Amino acid sequence: MKPLRRLHALLAAAAAMSEKKGTLMSTDNTYLAVFLGSKTSPRRAAWNALSEGDRRAKEREGMAAWHAWVEKHHDAIVAMGGPLGKTKKVTQSGIQEVSNEMGAFTVVRADSHEAAAKLFENHPHFAIFPGDSVEIMPVLPIPGA
């Protein structure tokens, strides 16, 4: 199976394993990983400076590495998540377009916060792609739920 097709199959499987809409997600040893990257970082500038051919080759290398990461950690992945699009911010004043460094997310389960963080060491997001970091935080129970 081609890497992208396999990745899509894994995404579909992760979605099928997700909790039913409207039910509470188990928070036991559950962690949200947010992939961050600045559009103005030197790493992004270097990425953008690559020739079209070199960038496409790096993208193929990165997707293969990401696929390998998913395969290696599939037991820990609760929700594959995915890339994030443009952001809208809602306040009492209304809705506005904003920009932030969030690029994607994934939900994982691990025995500890440290163990969850270790899942993302040398992740392709920043080892190959021009992403800056991955922030991992525990998903806490909803108070009173």
Side-chain angles (χ1 to χ4, degrees):
M1 186 176 279
K2 292 185 176 183
L4 283 178
R5 212 178 282 155
R6 177 76 174 130
L7 187 56
H8 286 278
L10 288 169
L11 286 169
M17 293 186 316
S18 295
E19 307 280 337
K20 289 183 180 178
K21 187 175 181 177
T23 63
L24 296 178
M25 178 174 72
S26 168
T27 57
D28 294 337
N29 298 318
T30 303
Y31 299 88
L32 174 67
V34 179
F35 296 81
L36 303 171
S38 170
K39 294 176 178 86
T40 60
S41 73
R43 290 174 51 82
R44 178 59 72 109
W47 178 270
N48 291 341
L50 292 172
S51 70
E52 183 72 20
D54 288 346
R55 190 170 39 258
R56 287 197 186 278
K58 280 293 232 188
E59 287 170 352
R60 284 190 299 276
E61 176 189 0
M63 288 310 296
W66 205 304
H67 175 262
W69 182 88
V70 169
E71 285 288 326
K72 180 178 180 181
H73 300 293
H74 74 277
D75 287 341
I77 297 170
V78 174
M80 190 61 204
L84 300 171
K86 293 184 178 184
T87 303
K88 293 196 181 287
K89 181 177 179 179
V90 181
T91 66
Q92 288 180 325
S93 301
I95 301 171
Q96 60 183 318
E97 301 270 338
V98 297
S99 182
N100 59 46
E101 294 186 351
M102 292 186 278
F105 78 99
T106 297
V107 179
V108 297
R109 285 225 169 84
D111 291 335
S112 68
H113 200 169
E114 184 71 20
K118 285 185 180 290
L119 294 172
F120 295 89
E121 287 183 319
N122 298 311
H123 192 282
H125 172 68
F126 53 81
I128 298 171
F129 289 111
D132 295 324
S133 62
V134 181
E135 292 185 4
I136 296 89
M137 60 212 80
V139 176
L140 303 174
I142 297 172

